[in-house]
Amino acid sequence: MNEYTIEEFSNLIVEILGDIKEEVVLQNPDVTSTFPCTVVRTPIETILLRNGNIPVRKKLSISIEEWADKQTTCMNMLTQTELELRKYNILKTSNDISFIDTITGKYRIINTYETIYNGLTNSFDLIR
């Protein structure tokens, strides 16, 4: 059994969203960036169950930001993200936080998504 890392989870999210979005990045955009874009933040993990020293069950949480010229575009992007991640048992667990970035002048909406990684089956379990 291999330990599933936050880097692997982050790469998976970028890969999943890269199939449905034009621009997926890992850091805040600046005025020269391409918009609209999606920002994938560094995941957080909480070990729920161990077998010896190896985590068998982990809660993985990740914040994803949608950036665009208009708030409605961000909302549409958010819906696309939520629907796509739901296919992998990665569910939205926060309320939308929306504001205008002062540096870029773009709208952004931030949400958090979570899943439970099962090391025995190498899959994501539904959050209950």
Side-chain angles (χ1 to χ4, degrees):
M1 177 172 55
N2 291 329
E3 184 172 342
Y4 193 71
T5 66
I6 59 171
E7 179 183 6
E8 289 172 305
F9 184 60
S10 180
N11 289 340
L12 175 66
I13 298 296
V14 169
E15 182 180 322
I16 290 169
L17 296 180
D19 289 343
I20 63 167
K21 299 184 182 273
E22 292 181 28
E23 189 77 16
V24 180
V25 296
L26 297 172
Q27 58 190 354
N28 269 356
D30 58 27
V31 293
T32 64
S33 298
T34 302
F35 293 93
C37 70
T38 299
V39 178
V40 176
R41 296 289 173 201
T42 302
I44 299 170
E45 69 178 8
T46 304
I47 298 171
L48 304 174
L49 180 66
R50 294 178 188 266
N51 181 4
N53 199 26
I54 299 174
V56 176
R57 193 167 167 82
K58 293 181 180 183
K59 180 169 95 173
L60 297 166
S61 176
I62 193 163
S63 292
I64 298 174
E65 303 175 7
E66 309 293 356
W67 292 64
D69 292 330
K70 299 190 313 191
Q71 189 170 6
T72 53
T73 304
C74 289
M75 293 159 75
N76 289 333
M77 294 168 63
L78 171 68
T79 300
Q80 285 181 324
T81 296
E82 186 175 348
L83 292 174
E84 194 65 23
L85 293 180
R86 201 182 301 160
K87 295 176 187 176
Y88 296 86
N89 291 337
I90 302 168
L91 305 178
K92 184 175 117 173
T93 58
S94 69
N95 293 325
D96 305 344
I97 300 171
S98 176
F99 55 93
I100 297 175
D101 182 71
T102 56
I103 295 172
T104 62
K106 306 294 182 189
Y107 286 91
R108 74 176 173 179
I109 297 179
I110 305 168
N111 275 302
T112 301
Y113 299 83
E114 293 182 354
T115 190
I116 303 292
Y117 176 73
N118 185 330
L120 297 175
T121 61
N122 194 30
S123 63
F124 298 125
D125 293 341
L126 283 173
I127 299 173
R128 301 197 195 282

